[in-house]
C-alpha cells in the first residue's frame, strides 16, 4: 500500500484557536472544510492529544485563521511544532479577540472565522468538531496557503499528530547535500537556500552562519542530519 496516494488529496493550512476560561491556545491544522452554507457550517479535525482539542471541548467554540501563501515558516512552526502546555504561542504574535472570545491571528492571514460547536464526532485519534459560523471577516486579499505549497515549495513538514501525517519513506537521491531537521522534518536544500532568513540560494549547509536556526522549529544546525 502506497500511502503517498494520500498526498494527492487537497488541503489548506490554518491556525485553529480556542479558549478555556481566560486561557487561549492555537495550533496548525490542515483539515478544515465547509459542510453547508445555510446555515454556514464548517468542520475541523483536531488530535485528541492536543491542548486545542481540550479547549474546544471545554468552551464549545473555535476560530479558524486562514493562512496566506506568503506566511513565514516561523509562524507555522510557532503553532505547529510547539506545545501550548510549555510555551505561550501568542507571544509576539499579532492577534485580536473575536466576538466569541477566541483569538484571531491578524498577520499573514486572509480571513478569520469563528464557530460554535454543534456536533462532535469521535474519529479514533482525532475529534471532528462541526461548528456553526458565528462570525467571519476578510482581512487580506491573496492566495491561501495549501498543504502542497507548504510541503513542496517551502519544504515544511507536519507533526505526527496531524491527520495528514505519513511516515517518510527513505529515498536515495543523487544530490546528497540536503539536510533534514531531526526535530520537525524541515529540509534545507542548498539550491534554494533560506531566503526568508537572508540565506541566498546555492549556500551549502556547512557555509550557513553558526547562529542559523531551523526556520520552522528554531533548533540549531547541530540538530540537522544529511538527507539519505
Amino acid at each position: 500500500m502506497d500511502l503517498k496516494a494520500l498526498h494527492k488529496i487537497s488541503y489548506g493550512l490554518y491556525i485553529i484557536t480556542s479558549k478555556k476560561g481566560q486561557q487561549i491556545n492555537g495550533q496548525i491544522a490542515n483539515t478544515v472544510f465547509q459542510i453547508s452554507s445555510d446555515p454556514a457550517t464548517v468542520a475541523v479535525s483536531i488530535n485528541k492529544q492536543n491542548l486545542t482539542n481540550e479547549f474546544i471541548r471545554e468552551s464549545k467554540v473555535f476560530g479558524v485563521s486562514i493562512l496566506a501563501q506568503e506566511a513565514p515558516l516561523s509562524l507555522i512552526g510557532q503553532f505547529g511544532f510547539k506545545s501550548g502546555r510549555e510555551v505561550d504561542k501568542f507571544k509576539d504574535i499579532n492577534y485580536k479577540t473575536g466576538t466569541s472570545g477566541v483569538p484571531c491571528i491578524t498577520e499573514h492571514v486572509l480571513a478569520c472565522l469563528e464557530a460554535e460547536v454543534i456536533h462532535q464526532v469521535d474519529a479514533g485519534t482525532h475529534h471532528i468538531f462541526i461548528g456553526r459560523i458565528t462570525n467571519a471577516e476578510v482581512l487580506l486579499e491573496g492566495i491561501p496557503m495549501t498543504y502542497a505549497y507548504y510541503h513542496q515549495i517551502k519544504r515544511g513538514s507536519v507533526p505526527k499528530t496531524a491527520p495528514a501525517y505519513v511516515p517518510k519513506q527513505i529515498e536515495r537521491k543523487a544530490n546528497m547535500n540536503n539536510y533534514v531537521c531531526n526535530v520537525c522534518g524541515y529540509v534545507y536544500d542548498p539550491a534554494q537556500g533560506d531566503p526568508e532568513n537572508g540565506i541566498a540560494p546555492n549556500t551549502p549547509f556547512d557555509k550557513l552562519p553558526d547562529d542559523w536556526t531551523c526556520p520552522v522549529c528554531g533548533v540549531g544546525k547541530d540538530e540537522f542530519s544529511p538527507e539519505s
Side-chain angles (χ1 to χ4, degrees):
M1 180 169 62
D2 187 359
L3 293 179
K4 285 185 179 179
L6 297 174
H7 291 165
K8 304 304 180 183
I9 299 175
S10 297
Y11 299 93
L13 214 58
Y14 316 91
I15 298 177
I16 307 302
T17 57
S18 191
K19 66 173 185 175
K20 182 179 180 181
Q22 299 301 313
Q23 295 179 287
I24 57 175
N25 195 58
Q27 67 163 79
I28 292 292
N30 58 10
T31 308
V32 176
F33 55 94
Q34 181 178 348
I35 295 177
S36 64
S37 57
D38 188 18
T41 308
V42 294
V44 301
S45 178
I46 305 293
N47 193 285
K48 293 178 179 178
Q49 299 178 19
N50 293 357
L51 187 62
T52 303
N53 183 303
E54 176 186 325
F55 280 24
I56 295 175
R57 285 186 286 109
E58 175 78 16
S59 65
K60 305 299 183 186
V61 292
F62 63 85
V64 179
S65 295
I66 303 171
L67 289 173
Q69 184 170 274
E70 67 271 15
L73 286 173
S74 57
L75 178 62
I76 298 170
Q78 178 78 357
F79 285 92
F81 289 92
K82 297 180 181 180
S83 171
R85 297 183 177 92
E86 300 172 355
V87 300
D88 176 9
K89 293 188 178 184
F90 290 89
K91 183 180 180 181
D92 301 324
I93 298 294
N94 293 324
Y95 72 94
K96 64 180 180 180
T97 302
T99 57
S100 63
V102 300
C104 173
I105 312 302
T106 56
E107 195 170 10
H108 307 297
V109 165
L110 300 183
C112 187
L113 312 174
E114 295 177 69
E116 178 183 17
V117 176
I118 58 175
H119 193 52
Q120 176 180 315
V121 179
D122 190 322
T125 58
H126 289 65
H127 282 127
I128 299 173
F129 298 103
I130 300 173
R132 177 179 59 83
I133 294 179
T134 58
N135 191 39
E137 181 181 2
V138 175
L139 303 178
L140 178 70
E141 295 297 334
I143 301 172
M145 175 85 75
T146 64
Y147 174 78
Y149 185 89
Y150 167 67
H151 182 71
Q152 296 169 10
I153 305 301
K154 286 183 170 286
R155 308 181 307 284
S157 186
V158 296
K160 293 182 178 180
T161 54
Y165 173 78
V166 176
K168 286 188 176 181
Q169 298 177 4
I170 296 177
E171 298 178 354
R172 296 291 177 182
K173 295 184 178 182
N175 182 0
M176 301 297 288
N177 293 328
N178 291 356
Y179 278 72
V180 183
C181 177
N182 299 326
V183 176
C184 73
Y186 167 81
V187 177
Y188 176 77
D189 181 352
Q192 299 187 46
D194 180 17
E196 287 184 3
N197 293 292
I199 304 301
N202 300 314
T203 301
F205 184 82
D206 60 3
K207 298 298 183 182
L208 291 173
D210 291 339
D211 60 354
W212 181 84
T213 58
C214 175
V216 177
C217 68
V219 298
K221 292 171 58 179
D222 56 340
E223 290 290 348
F224 278 72
S225 299
E227 185 178 54
S228 61

